[in-house]
Amino acid sequence: MTGNEIRKAYLEFFKRKRHLQLHSFSLIPENDPSLLLIGAGMAPLKPYFTGKLVPPSPRVTTSQKCIRTGDIDNVGRTARHHTFFEMLGNFSFGDYFKKEAISWAWEFLTEVLELDTDKLYVTVYPDDTEAYGYWHTVIGLPEERIFKCEDNFWEIGEGPCGPDSEIFYDLGAERGCGKPECTVGCDCDRYLEIWNLVFSQYNRTAEGKYEPLAKKNIDTGAGLERLASVIQQKESNFETDLIFPIIEEVITLCHGDYTDPQQKVAMKVIADHIRAITVMISDGILPSNEGRGYVLRRVLRRAVRFGRLLGIRQLFLSGLVETVLAIMGEEYPELREHEALIKKVINTEEKQFSETLVQGMELLDSLLAKAGTAKTLSGQEVFKLYDTYGFPVELTEEIAAEQGVTIDMNGFAAAMKEQQERARAARADVAAKVLTPDTTSLDRQTLQYAEGVTTATIVMLGKDGQEAEAVHDGETITVILDRTPFHAEGGGQLGDTGVLTAHGGKAVVTDTKALPNGIIYMIAGVMEGSLKKGETVTVAVDTERHAALARNHTATHLLHTALRQVLGNHVNQAGSLVTPDHLRFDFTHFSPVTAAELREAEQLVNREILKNTPVMVTEMNREEAKQKGATALFGEKYGDVVRVVSIGDFSCELCGGSHVKSTAEVGTFRIISESGTGTGVRRIEAITGAAALAKAQAEAQILAQAAAVLKVKPESLVTKLTQLAEELKITEREVQRLKKDAAAAAVDRLAATTQHYGSVAVSAAVAPADDMDGLRTFADLLLDKQGGGVVLLGMVHDGKVNFVCKVAKADTKKGLHAGKIIKAAAQAAGGNGGGRPDMAQAGGKEPEKLEAALRAGCEVVTQLLS
């Protein structure tokens, strides 16, 4: 079976077991700030496991795209470490439990994949007699193939947890370590874990108690690449048809040898990393210096470096994307949809890194030169190369070894640990828990978004993540109403704010958000009295703020289309922020937008505003929206039913935000800035409505004030400024000529002090300079005028003495040395200094001794000539 056939067989098997198949979730976690990237099949399903949300089905199956970089340095060196992998999973939310999970896993492995039952082993938690019993008595595994392991218990802090059972496949003695005691759990490659069943049957409390869950869950995971390696009888995951075609492309590129151990590692790293890069970009992640963008940048740069180790000097990574798409494109059509963008981003980032690479190599060369007799590079220095320039530590180690230099790996590990702890601390600062209490008791269908309503009933109150019957003055709460006019945060638009007034209290709404299932909740602070569940409240949205948000959100749609018309169809939204004051629009483009292009885009938007075109909002299924030509935003996630916002025949996008009824309500549109935010991403900031009017008025006032200062009419301001600029150039040229004449006259005066020591002309004087640049200029002019010899000049500036000494190259051969001359002068003025034989500069702290210092310098000239 091919890897794609294994995936399909798995999903079809569990669909027959009444599981709902869901498409892989995006690698970008939704409403989970505790995660940077999705790294497990269950991660996107956490709200269903915790009971916060009602699942779309009590049984779900997926093949989930996953990214993990915790063991990135092991990628390519082991048979099964990856940055990107696919996790096959079947999940139960309070439906079936251990018996079904165990029997179906066994059925799939032995009957569908037809694995040899004699080569399968399992592990269980020692106290889990139930799981042990199923394996032994129902499945019929002999006792010697069931291992009890203390590690078989899955938990992450508070929340659902429980024992787990892992299934291993014996790859044969030839893959083992050869030790007599080698068995399941050994660090060698003989016994391969291919499946893990987690039995979530407890809830761990904050106090560390394990309470039985009323609804027990099943969370299983099977690595697709691992299963493929077993079925296809390959040495490692990398030799399967899921990855090896990419390696073959790399071999062709570098004319390499896969049997060479070092080349083999590099090829495996590149093949793994290009899969991760392709999938991350297709999910809306773009290179940057922080967060997910940094993970992508690091992986991409690491792939480039391993390409260099294989002798590949040209841009090559984007050329591998087609092979990735050939393998994965059918299961993940989003890859094909973003193919052009994926290749463009990779090319741009790889090109930029080539320049960074030169800097990194220069730094490494200088570090190696400084290593000296110690022949050791500090761990901190190596970590800087790794962290700042993307140098894999093994690459630094290899280059250093060529010069007989070792690396302080303990120091490197310590620096790495410090960074990881800083990152963990930063993530810990973000509240990971969902503020809402368990909403599974609510009927989603009875809750409505109803624009314009003024009264509503409180159906749920929450405090600290727990449901509350009443809340009181001074408490921060969450509120869910039976119908709400508050629009939730989404698509870059901030949530609505306002006031809820009850008979005995008042709460100020500071934000509005939505759960993944669409339930809208308000975050509020109780300002007086109390609010109770079930009571009726008067609802007042901040309508002025809401209108400003709507204006700016509609403007982002107009701007998106305008940019596509001006710059090309490669433009895609890569992020946005819609506030009442301004809008920020990030989009894919690979060069700065010119002033003329910005002006054209701005004019297009304002032309649509003046047309007073109605803004239509409709709901339809995703296929209808696609046929209608609606633009799906890059990196966004959509359900089966989507909301389409159409502005005449100008713009049509999928969007959940609030909008004006007609474009004329936007008022006017002004672009205020354009900049780059990362590889292939530009950012425009703009304003509309009252803010645009206020800016126009402020600019008009500045224009009037400038015209008044220059005593002209505003329309004549540019002509007057052009005239003044030309006059200023003429004046500056005249000033430079006068300065040159004055300098020449000063040099003549200085030359009058010249004395001859034998055949050597020596000038030592105070120069009329204002700074060190001027002092050096006088020294050059004077040396030229006297045709060689020695020039020693001094000046007083800011209460200190500065010196410059120059000696003609020919006279340095007579023993004269500018550094020695200036050192004597500086020491005589309370300072010190030195320099080259032909040029030196120094300073002193005692300006009153300047003349004496010049004489001291001349005495050294005499000594050096004697």
Side-chain angles (χ1 to χ4, degrees):
M1 296 175 73
T2 66
N4 287 329
E5 287 171 344
I6 295 169
R7 183 199 302 111
K8 184 177 181 181
Y10 181 93
L11 296 173
E12 290 296 329
F13 175 84
F14 281 101
K15 281 165 68 176
R16 291 195 298 273
K17 304 295 184 184
R18 296 188 293 112
H19 287 66
L20 172 67
Q21 180 187 339
L22 298 179
H23 186 70
S24 173
F25 292 82
S26 168
L27 289 168
I28 301 174
E30 184 176 8
N31 293 323
D32 191 348
S34 67
L35 293 178
L36 191 63
L37 290 158
I38 294 298
M42 63 78 61
L45 306 173
K46 272 205 292 187
Y48 307 137
F49 282 112
T50 59
K52 295 285 187 181
L53 296 177
V54 177
S57 166
R59 300 179 181 186
V60 164
T61 185
T62 63
S63 178
Q64 176 63 43
K65 299 174 289 189
C66 298
I67 293 283
R68 292 183 190 174
T69 58
D71 293 319
I72 193 171
D73 292 326
N74 286 324
V75 173
R77 301 187 179 281
T78 70
R80 46 188 175 267
H81 274 100
H82 299 288
T83 53
F84 169 78
F85 60 94
E86 293 182 68
M87 182 67 78
L88 303 172
N90 58 285
F91 309 95
S92 167
F93 310 109
D95 188 18
Y96 63 84
F97 202 45
K98 294 180 186 179
K99 180 179 179 181
E100 294 85 352
I102 290 172
S103 62
W104 289 339
W106 186 260
E107 181 184 347
F108 179 76
L109 290 173
T110 61
E111 297 182 23
V112 178
L113 298 188
E114 299 180 353
L115 295 184
D116 185 346
T117 57
D118 291 336
K119 293 186 176 182
L120 293 172
Y121 296 74
V122 300
T123 59
V124 296
Y125 187 61
D127 295 343
D128 192 357
T129 54
E130 186 182 8
Y132 185 94
Y134 283 131
W135 282 118
H136 185 46
T137 60
V138 178
I139 301 301
L141 271 181
E143 291 183 2
E144 61 270 19
R145 282 167 48 203
I146 306 174
F147 295 79
K148 296 180 179 181
C149 301
E150 290 289 343
D151 290 342
N152 279 64
F153 195 94
W154 186 91
E155 62 180 332
I156 304 179
E158 293 178 56
C161 60
D164 63 80
S165 182
E166 297 166 327
I167 305 174
F168 290 79
Y169 186 81
D170 182 2
L171 295 172
E174 66 278 8
R175 297 285 295 276
C177 57
K179 297 176 183 177
E181 66 272 18
C182 180
T183 188
V184 170
C186 183
D187 289 336
C188 72
D189 288 338
R190 175 171 177 174
Y191 296 93
L192 176 66
E193 180 198 336
I194 56 174
W195 201 300
N196 187 18
L197 303 100
V198 178
F199 311 122
S200 298
Q201 62 191 81
Y202 301 109
N203 179 63
R204 181 179 172 176
T205 67
E207 295 76 31
K209 294 180 180 178
Y210 294 89
E211 299 172 346
L213 284 171
K215 292 184 176 181
K216 297 176 173 59
N217 305 314
I218 289 294
D219 158 25
T220 77
L224 176 62
E225 292 82 1
R226 293 190 181 194
L227 285 176
S229 73
V230 171
I231 297 296
Q232 296 171 17
Q233 298 180 6
K234 299 298 182 181
E235 180 184 321
S236 77
N237 298 357
F238 293 91
E239 277 78 51
T240 68
D241 69 326
L242 292 169
I243 304 175
F244 198 67
I246 308 170
I247 292 176
E248 290 178 314
E249 283 293 315
V250 177
I251 293 170
T252 302
L253 267 174
C254 68
H255 307 290
D257 179 4
Y258 191 64
T259 63
D260 178 276
Q262 287 187 320
Q263 289 190 41
K264 186 175 185 177
V265 169
M267 291 170 184
K268 288 161 73 175
V269 168
I270 293 167
D272 168 90
H273 286 11
I274 191 60
R275 296 199 324 150
I277 293 162
T278 301
V279 174
M280 289 174 79
I281 296 173
S282 78
D283 275 354
I285 300 167
L286 295 168
S288 69
N289 286 327
E290 59 185 18
R292 302 177 189 99
Y294 177 73
V295 174
L296 171 59
R297 172 164 284 168
R298 179 186 172 200
V299 171
L300 193 151
R301 291 184 169 188
R302 196 168 185 269
V304 174
R305 277 304 311 144
F306 277 94
R308 291 293 177 103
L309 287 178
L310 293 172
I312 303 173
R313 293 291 179 265
Q314 74 276 21
L315 302 182
F316 74 99
L317 281 177
S318 67
L320 301 175
V321 170
E322 187 58 45
T323 307
V324 177
L325 299 190
I327 299 168
M328 302 177 62
E330 184 178 347
E331 178 66 20
Y332 303 108
E334 60 268 28
L335 300 181
R336 284 280 180 204
E337 290 173 17
H338 298 300
E339 180 179 356
L341 179 65
I342 292 166
K343 291 179 178 178
K344 186 70 174 177
V345 170
I346 290 173
N347 258 336
T348 304
E349 180 72 10
E350 188 176 354
K351 188 176 181 181
Q352 289 180 356
F353 180 50
S354 296
E355 299 165 6
T356 305
L357 200 55
V358 172
Q359 299 171 359
M361 285 302 297
E362 287 174 355
L363 177 57
L364 178 55
D365 288 342
S366 68
L367 291 176
L368 291 170
K370 288 191 300 183
T373 55
K375 291 292 183 182
T376 302
L377 286 182
S378 81
Q380 284 286 351
E381 290 170 332
V382 174
F383 181 76
K384 182 180 178 183
L385 272 169
Y386 170 81
D387 194 44
T388 306
Y389 297 99
F391 268 52
V393 65
E394 61 268 18
L395 173 65
T396 305
E397 195 171 21
E398 182 178 327
I399 295 171
E402 291 172 0
Q403 300 189 30
V405 177
T406 58
I407 291 174
D408 172 18
M409 292 306 296
N410 290 333
F412 176 83
M416 174 70 84
K417 187 177 180 182
E418 283 177 20
Q419 188 208 51
Q420 290 170 341
E421 287 174 353
R422 284 194 299 270
R424 274 195 293 270
R427 283 202 291 273
D429 288 341
V430 180
K433 67 179 181 182
V434 179
L435 287 171
T436 57
D438 183 342
T439 61
T440 53
S441 62
L442 299 179
D443 182 355
R444 167 73 186 89
Q445 304 305 315
T446 64
L447 306 178
Q448 302 173 8
Y449 170 73
E451 193 170 348
V453 302
T454 55
T455 60
T457 301
I458 298 174
V459 298
M460 182 173 282
L461 290 168
K463 188 179 71 171
D464 298 328
Q466 300 298 316
E467 187 173 0
E469 290 298 314
V471 291
H472 305 282
D473 189 7
E475 294 178 338
T476 299
I477 62 169
T478 55
V479 184
I480 297 176
L481 304 174
D482 64 340
R483 52 184 189 155
T484 179
F486 287 86
H487 200 282
E489 174 188 314
Q493 178 182 320
L494 300 184
D496 276 340
T497 61
V499 178
L500 304 176
T501 306
H503 176 70
K506 180 186 290 186
V508 174
V509 176
T510 56
D511 201 358
T512 305
K513 296 181 181 290
L515 294 171
N517 63 357
I519 293 178
I520 295 172
Y521 66 97
M522 282 72 74
I523 299 173
V526 183
M527 305 308 292
E528 57 184 67
S530 62
L531 278 73
K532 299 181 179 65
K533 178 182 173 181
E535 70 178 329
T536 300
V537 291
T538 302
V539 182
V541 174
D542 184 337
T543 53
E544 188 174 327
R545 182 178 180 275
H546 178 87
L549 286 166
R551 281 194 295 271
N552 285 335
H553 203 149
T554 301
T556 63
H557 286 224
L558 296 172
L559 175 60
H560 190 184
T561 302
L563 288 170
R564 287 173 71 88
Q565 290 185 16
V566 173
L567 302 177
N569 287 333
H570 65 278
V571 168
N572 273 295
Q573 180 173 328
S576 70
L577 174 67
V578 178
T579 77
D581 306 315
H582 74 289
L583 64 95
R584 189 179 74 205
F585 187 78
D586 294 348
F587 57 98
T588 53
H589 188 57
F590 298 88
S591 62
V593 185
T594 66
E597 289 168 336
L598 288 173
R599 197 161 50 247
E600 185 180 352
E602 189 177 78
Q603 287 170 348
L604 276 172
V605 172
N606 281 302
R607 191 179 303 157
E608 287 303 313
I609 290 170
L610 289 173
K611 286 181 181 178
N612 193 22
T613 308
V615 178
M616 307 299 294
V617 180
T618 53
E619 288 191 349
M620 59 186 73
N621 67 53
R622 195 161 37 179
E623 192 54 40
E624 280 183 88
K626 192 174 181 180
Q627 292 172 2
K628 186 179 171 68
T631 302
L633 302 186
F634 184 43
E636 283 289 319
K637 298 168 279 293
Y638 300 100
D640 293 329
V641 177
V642 294
R643 190 168 177 266
V644 180
V645 177
S646 305
I647 305 173
D649 58 3
F650 185 75
S651 169
C652 183
E653 291 188 13
L654 305 185
C655 178
S658 56
H659 290 273
V660 297
K661 301 290 188 230
S662 130
T663 57
E665 293 178 37
V666 177
T668 187
F669 174 83
R670 292 281 305 276
I671 292 174
I672 56 175
S673 72
E674 190 275 345
S675 60
T677 65
T679 300
V681 179
R682 307 298 300 178
R683 169 172 292 171
I684 283 177
E685 299 204 43
I687 49 179
T688 66
L693 175 62
K695 184 168 180 62
Q697 290 173 332
E699 288 173 349
Q701 186 177 2
I702 292 169
L703 192 66
Q705 289 172 343
V709 169
L710 296 176
K711 296 182 172 59
V712 295
K713 292 181 179 179
E715 56 266 29
S716 302
L717 193 57
V718 173
T719 303
K720 183 65 175 178
L721 287 171
T722 304
Q723 176 192 333
L724 290 174
E726 189 57 38
E727 290 174 1
L728 182 60
K729 285 180 185 176
I730 294 169
T731 303
E732 286 176 343
R733 284 197 292 268
E734 181 62 18
V735 168
Q736 291 301 319
R737 187 187 66 76
L738 291 171
K739 280 185 175 180
K740 190 174 180 181
D741 291 346
V747 168
D748 287 341
R749 290 194 299 274
L750 292 171
T753 66
T754 301
Q755 299 179 23
H756 285 80
Y757 293 70
S759 61
V760 179
V762 179
S763 294
V766 178
D770 297 323
D771 52 30
M772 284 300 293
D773 285 341
L775 197 62
R776 285 191 291 268
T777 300
F778 274 121
D780 289 335
L781 292 171
L782 187 52
L783 193 63
D784 287 343
K785 188 171 184 65
Q786 67 187 28
V790 178
V791 171
L792 175 62
L793 298 180
M795 72 168 189
V796 176
H797 183 68
D798 288 341
K800 294 181 181 178
V801 189
N802 291 305
F803 297 100
V804 167
C805 182
K806 295 212 169 185
V807 177
K809 290 279 188 185
D811 292 313
T812 60
K813 297 175 182 176
K814 299 175 183 178
L816 293 170
H817 193 291
K820 294 177 181 178
I821 296 167
I822 208 167
K823 182 175 183 180
Q827 288 176 340
N832 210 337
R836 304 193 309 266
D838 61 327
M839 191 275 180
Q841 58 189 50
K845 301 176 183 177
E846 302 172 23
E848 68 276 7
K849 295 182 179 179
L850 176 54
E851 293 288 350
L854 294 173
R855 288 194 297 272
C858 289
E859 289 172 8
V860 172
V861 173
T862 304
Q863 294 168 12
L864 293 173
L865 288 172
S866 60

